[in-house]
Amino acid sequence: MATSTAPRPLTSGPAPAAPVDLSDPALWTRPDLPAVVDRLRAAGPVQRTGTADDGPVWSVLSYDLAVEVLKDAATYSSEGGSLLGAGAGNTPVGAGRMMALTDPPRHRELRAPATPFLSPGGARGAAPGITELSHRIVTTAVERGEVDLVDVVSPLPLTVMCDLLDVPDQDREMVVQVCDDAFLGRTAQERRAGHQRLIPYLMHQVMKRRADPRDDLISMMATYRIAGRLLPVEDVVLNLDNIVVGGVQTVRHTAVMGLLALVRHPDLWHRLQSGEAAMGPALDELLRWTSVGLHTLRTATRDTVLGGHDIRRGERVVVWTWAANHDPAAFDRPHDIVLDRSPNRHVALGLGAHYCIGAPLAKTELSALFTALLDRVERIEPTGPVQYNRSIINFGLDHFPVRLLARRAHRSR
């Protein structure tokens, strides 16, 4: 279904909210989701929609307008919040102090100390260790046979993050457990308790490494100076916490949702396993197709017009990433997984100033994990129903019980 690009009449006041609540996590689990989103987009690529916690927002459903918003940080600011959930009229903790909640030029300044560790060069340096760890994780899972794939993939990003932070050996088991609780906990209470333990630990490490720096991400952030001044300790901790959240959640949920797609389309699994489809383009296609970071929030800094609608200063604009990445005006056969899709200018990892700083490392981890599974596993058989989480921030699965059937012979890739 083609999306009309004809301008819509300017509204004289707030438009009535659309009946579909895009902030309801249950919507994104519906089997008819593609048809629902296509109908909404056809009705208008920008619509006034209601949310459960944040009041009415302007929802962007088309690819071209999503790009317009994400690239224009001067008009659509991150400082009022980058994700739904803070509540109508509330400013999130860390606004103006965290990478995710700042605009250029401040945003660039905060990214700078972390970039060497998360850049393509940093990811290449870490790749051999990530590959070895992935194979160990998969080998253990294959030996067990029946596993929960969520539990299989989760240790990889957690361990890689501990390496980046150079967590001391004696603290690793505790930090992995705390991170597991903070980011992968099954309930909000578990996640909150994990953060309450992680934040003080990070603060302690920041203070230690400010006095005795090493070659690691904590030390770099702790000793970095902007205009000759060290960042406040609280700001360093907030940004480290933000990096850990993004690094753990993006890899975990994309891996599991990508595997779910491959299990449901065994022909694609075999194309990857045989080498008929290359991992690089396939990985970008799975990122596009899953779009686990379902949305990005911005706040208008001035009166403007978007998709034919008047957007008033202070109003919230939400780019629905999944909808943009499944727009037929931008992607041929958007609801199909096309492993060799090219070009593939998806926005699953953001765009513009806020393009995911950890994208190279995340792709390295995902590639290593998928490759290890393809090497060792002939096929994956579900042994029970999947259980979706209740998140529109990092949409994915809480449970994915399967049986891993080993390949009789596997080759190194």
Side-chain angles (χ1 to χ4, degrees):
M1 181 183 298
T3 301
S4 172
T5 57
R8 295 171 58 81
L10 297 184
T11 58
S12 58
V20 175
D21 181 5
L22 292 163
S23 71
D24 179 5
L27 169 71
W28 304 93
T29 69
R30 287 174 52 168
D32 63 340
L33 174 65
V36 171
V37 173
D38 282 349
R39 284 196 299 269
L40 281 174
R41 191 190 304 105
V46 176
Q47 298 184 38
R48 192 74 163 163
T49 64
T51 64
D53 301 315
D54 298 83
V57 298
W58 288 103
S59 284
V60 179
L61 302 169
S62 71
Y63 178 85
D64 59 339
L65 293 180
V67 168
E68 181 177 333
V69 171
L70 294 175
K71 291 180 72 172
D72 187 358
T75 304
Y76 303 100
S77 172
S78 300
E79 295 204 1
S82 61
L83 297 167
L84 293 169
N90 294 332
T91 300
V93 175
R97 302 163 65 190
M98 292 169 55
M99 278 181 266
L101 301 175
T102 52
D103 301 317
R106 181 65 172 175
H107 177 76
R108 289 192 294 271
E109 293 174 340
L110 292 176
R111 284 174 74 109
T115 297
F117 295 88
L118 303 171
S119 67
R124 282 193 295 271
I130 292 172
T131 297
E132 181 182 351
L133 175 59
S134 297
H135 277 278
R136 289 204 308 268
I137 289 170
V138 170
T139 297
T140 300
V142 170
E143 290 171 352
R144 289 175 57 197
E146 293 196 9
V147 295
D148 189 322
L149 275 181
V150 175
D151 295 331
V152 172
V153 306
S154 296
L156 178 65
L158 285 169
T159 304
V160 171
M161 194 55 60
C162 281
D163 289 343
L164 279 177
L165 302 177
D166 195 15
V167 174
D169 289 343
Q170 65 270 22
D171 294 345
R172 285 216 168 195
E173 186 175 350
M174 180 274 294
V175 170
V176 167
Q177 182 59 55
V178 169
C179 287
D180 192 71
D181 293 341
F183 309 129
L184 314 179
R186 306 301 194 208
T187 67
Q189 184 176 3
E190 288 179 7
R191 294 190 291 272
R192 186 163 52 249
H195 274 289
Q196 288 171 348
R197 293 179 63 197
L198 177 61
I199 293 296
Y201 178 80
L202 288 175
M203 186 165 291
H204 176 65
Q205 290 298 318
V206 168
M207 294 301 296
K208 283 182 62 176
R209 299 189 206 189
R210 183 163 281 184
D212 183 20
R214 307 199 292 259
D215 184 21
D216 60 82
L217 181 55
I218 294 179
S219 297
M220 181 66 78
M221 296 287 291
T223 58
Y224 190 73
R225 294 177 181 271
I226 297 177
R229 305 182 67 176
L230 292 168
L231 287 170
V233 172
E234 295 83 357
D235 291 12
V236 175
V237 171
L238 284 170
N239 280 283
L240 287 170
D241 184 68
N242 188 219
I243 290 170
V244 174
V245 170
V248 171
Q249 295 285 49
T250 299
V251 173
R252 178 212 185 196
H253 290 297
T254 300
V256 174
M257 293 295 283
L259 288 170
L260 177 62
L262 294 175
V263 167
R264 290 176 171 174
H265 299 84
D267 57 315
L268 301 181
W269 176 270
H270 292 310
R271 287 188 64 203
L272 281 167
Q273 198 165 61
S274 68
E276 181 185 347
M279 180 59 69
L283 189 55
D284 265 309
E285 177 66 349
L286 290 172
L287 282 161
R288 180 200 70 84
W289 195 82
T290 59
S291 294
V292 298
L294 292 177
H295 78 280
T296 300
L297 175 66
R298 295 290 184 261
T299 302
T301 60
R302 60 181 179 84
D303 292 350
T304 188
V305 176
L306 181 67
H309 290 279
D310 285 324
I311 310 295
R312 305 299 181 189
R313 180 177 181 272
E315 289 186 327
R316 294 182 169 189
V317 177
V318 179
V319 170
W320 291 98
T321 310
W322 193 99
N325 279 340
H326 287 73
D327 183 352
F331 301 96
D332 183 43
R333 296 161 52 205
H335 302 311
D336 292 341
I337 303 173
V338 182
L339 294 179
D340 57 355
R341 186 183 297 276
S342 180
N344 194 349
R345 300 186 182 93
H346 64 79
V347 291
L349 296 171
L351 192 69
H354 281 269
Y355 180 75
C356 178
I357 188 174
L361 185 62
K363 287 186 175 184
T364 298
E365 293 177 52
L366 289 166
S367 178
L369 186 60
F370 283 129
T371 299
L373 283 162
L374 290 162
D375 279 351
R376 297 301 309 273
V377 177
E378 185 64 32
R379 67 180 184 273
I380 302 174
E381 294 181 346
T383 57
V386 299
Q387 179 181 323
Y388 289 93
N389 65 14
R390 295 283 302 172
S391 173
I392 61 166
I393 296 172
N394 282 285
F395 180 66
L397 302 178
D398 281 339
H399 293 290
F400 188 2
V402 300
R403 182 181 297 108
L404 302 179
L405 301 179
R407 296 184 73 180
R408 291 186 178 180
H410 64 275
R411 60 189 175 87
S412 195
R413 289 173 180 262

